[in-house]
Amino acid sequence: MDKVYQTAVFEGGVLRVMASGVKSREAALALPLGRLLVRLLRVAEGEDPVEVARGVLSAASPFPDESLAVGLEKVCDEAGGRAVYLAAALPESSTDDIADALDAAKLNVVRVDALVLGELRGVWKSIGGEGRRLVVFEGPDGVSLVVLDADLPVSIRAASTGSDLKREAMLSLLEAEDFGGPKPLGEVVRVRREAEDSAAEPAAEPAAESAAEPAPNPLASFGAPVRSIEIGADAGLAGIAERTAEEGSLNAMPDSWRAVLAETRFKAKLVRNMIAAVAVWLVAMAVIFGVPVAYGYMTDYQKNLCKRHAKQYKAVADKKAKVKLVRKYSDHSRGALEIMKAVSDRLPDGVTLSSWDFTRDDGVRLRAESDDSSSAYQLKDALAEMCAEGEDAEDGEGEKIFEVVRLGALSKQKDGKQKFEIECSHRTEEE
């Protein structure tokens, strides 16, 4: 599983959540073995393990009319196509107190596992070995007994608090012989929790009774060495958290709980989608109503800015026009006398001016007579050079006086002279 869930246990009538820093409302629930129906099954090839497990667990259920949701975990494969499964189911008729505790804690259960399996994982390195071993887990809701052949469980049973431990251990060993064959018992391991031992110290027997002979250990009567192991209070929950992250681990969750989980997830997803839709709607409304307001504000701002700029532009334009006017009338290079002098200086021999039309802004129109047509072209070229260099230019890069110099048609007179007209303009043809 990619998603991380909380891990909780319900025992002693109290729901306890492991402190892991996970803030999810979904949790893996660990239950004492006495709250579950648990069996080890050997399923032959071709058989449906779910149907086999449902038949075995329904026969052992105290609620025969209830349909059980069976959870399976494959333990190992055997020769001949057979497989060993651990089957478990949680009778829903006995879960009212668990459901109330979960509702009070606002937790949604995603899987149900046996607490003893998490504790077995926590002590596995300490009890590993060959041969048959009996492992006894003590808890506030009773005792869980697991018989192992090397690393293969051959019996798993629960005993209530106050029951005869020796008798329950004998039944577990008989069940192990029936499932895994007769083998000598090599060791008995008793697993206790550190928190339970420390809590039991204040309730010790009075001094007079503690001085008496200690009661014999009922587990020592099987002729196998007995040793004790202490584990942390959350060691089982840590093992359940590891099992939750593994695929194929046991899940004895009832069908109605699965339906509630699916409905809760659907509602949560629906709420998230509705929140996202409302957020999108609000953004759309903000765009629909906010954009015109913002556009109007920006338009008004630009209008006011344009008005301020227009005043400044008009002031600059007026000043520029005045400067231009002053320069225009203070520039004598384009005056009538200067232009007449420049044209007169460029008249070729044999050319006589007959009329002169001068406009300061437009230019000058010349009418002249010449002895031959070459003189007319020579004058036109001279005026064109004057257009390119300027009157006072010394380096060939003076300001232009005329933008366009155009020679009109030549007409030959009776006396043999050529009459022509030259138009010089200060503006370009496009202007």
Side-chain angles (χ1 to χ4, degrees):
M1 297 183 183
D2 296 333
K3 187 174 180 180
V4 179
Y5 305 101
Q6 294 197 67
T7 306
V9 60
F10 184 85
E11 59 179 353
V14 178
L15 181 68
R16 182 168 57 90
V17 180
M18 182 178 69
S20 59
V22 180
K23 297 182 180 180
S24 174
R25 286 295 180 183
E26 296 182 345
L29 179 63
L31 294 177
L33 197 59
R35 301 298 295 258
L36 300 168
L37 299 173
V38 182
R39 291 291 185 275
L40 283 166
L41 305 174
R42 184 174 279 112
V43 181
E45 184 178 8
E47 292 182 329
D48 186 0
V50 176
E51 293 300 328
V52 175
R54 182 176 285 111
V56 174
L57 296 178
S58 297
S61 174
F63 309 99
D65 296 334
E66 180 179 338
S67 178
L68 298 177
V70 178
L72 292 174
E73 181 174 342
K74 192 173 186 179
V75 178
C76 68
D77 291 317
E78 294 182 338
R82 297 184 303 177
V84 177
Y85 288 90
L86 178 63
L90 175 62
E92 189 177 350
S93 301
S94 63
T95 59
D96 292 341
D97 54 343
I98 303 176
D100 293 340
L102 291 172
D103 291 340
K106 297 182 180 180
L107 289 179
N108 299 318
V109 178
V110 296
R111 62 185 302 271
V112 176
D113 203 347
L115 179 61
V116 66
L117 299 179
E119 293 178 331
L120 184 62
R121 175 171 293 212
V123 299
W124 188 260
K125 293 182 179 179
S126 301
I127 64 174
E130 299 296 330
R132 178 163 292 176
R133 287 153 293 150
L134 171 63
V135 186
V136 181
F137 297 90
E138 299 180 2
D141 287 343
V143 179
S144 301
L145 301 98
V146 180
V147 181
L148 300 173
D149 282 353
D151 57 352
L152 175 66
V154 290
S155 175
I156 180 168
R157 296 180 71 256
S160 60
T161 303
S163 59
D164 187 354
L165 185 57
K166 180 179 179 180
R167 175 178 174 276
E168 297 296 339
M170 180 62 70
L171 292 176
S172 295
L173 293 174
L174 291 176
E175 186 177 307
E177 287 190 6
D178 182 59
F179 190 85
K183 291 182 181 179
L185 181 63
E187 185 183 26
V188 178
V189 181
R190 191 171 185 176
V191 181
R192 296 181 178 180
R193 300 181 193 172
E194 294 176 355
E196 293 178 355
D197 294 341
S198 60
E201 291 178 0
E205 297 294 332
E209 296 181 6
S210 61
E213 290 292 331
N217 189 347
L219 299 176
S221 59
F222 296 103
V226 180
R227 64 187 176 102
S228 297
I229 298 177
E230 290 186 351
I231 60 174
D234 288 339
L237 292 179
I240 294 297
E242 294 179 3
R243 287 172 53 80
T244 302
E246 299 173 356
E247 294 184 2
S249 56
L250 185 67
N251 186 4
M253 191 170 170
D255 290 334
S256 62
W257 288 22
R258 297 177 189 269
V260 171
L261 176 63
E263 181 180 355
T264 303
R265 287 178 171 176
F266 174 77
K267 289 181 179 179
K269 185 177 181 180
L270 180 62
V271 169
R272 290 195 300 269
N273 292 340
M274 289 183 64
I275 292 175
V278 170
V280 172
W281 181 81
L282 291 176
V283 171
M285 292 299 102
V287 171
I288 292 175
F289 295 103
V291 167
V293 173
Y295 181 77
Y297 171 79
M298 295 172 63
T299 302
D300 294 339
Y301 174 77
Q302 291 296 329
K303 286 182 179 179
N304 295 331
L305 190 63
C306 289
K307 290 179 180 179
R308 294 196 299 268
H309 287 177
K311 293 179 180 179
Q312 298 173 2
Y313 174 80
K314 188 176 183 303
V316 173
D318 293 343
K319 181 67 69 175
K320 185 177 180 181
K322 293 178 181 179
V323 172
K324 186 176 181 181
L325 184 62
V326 172
R327 286 182 176 177
K328 175 180 178 181
Y329 288 100
S330 62
D331 184 11
H332 301 290
S333 63
R334 294 176 184 256
L337 295 177
E338 284 76 10
I339 296 297
M340 181 176 289
K341 180 179 182 302
V343 173
S344 299
D345 292 343
R346 286 169 173 76
L347 286 177
D349 294 337
V351 176
T352 304
L353 290 176
S354 60
S355 67
W356 169 278
D357 294 332
F358 174 79
T359 303
R360 185 180 183 91
D361 293 332
D362 295 334
V364 64
R365 184 187 299 270
L366 304 175
R367 292 179 180 85
E369 294 180 354
S370 63
D371 295 337
D372 52 21
S373 60
S374 62
S375 299
Y377 287 107
Q378 185 178 356
L379 176 59
K380 186 258 185 184
D381 294 338
L383 294 177
E385 292 177 359
M386 173 184 172
C387 173
E389 298 179 1
E391 175 63 18
D392 301 327
E394 297 179 357
D395 54 358
E397 296 181 357
E399 182 182 0
K400 289 183 179 181
I401 295 179
F402 299 123
E403 294 290 341
V404 177
V405 176
R406 184 181 297 108
L407 175 63
L410 280 73
S411 60
K412 190 174 182 180
Q413 303 296 317
K414 294 180 179 181
D415 56 359
K417 292 187 177 182
Q418 298 286 339
K419 191 175 183 178
F420 61 92
E421 181 178 301
I422 297 178
E423 182 180 356
C424 302
S425 177
H426 294 303
R427 296 188 178 93
T428 61
E429 293 183 357
E430 291 78 4
E431 293 175 340

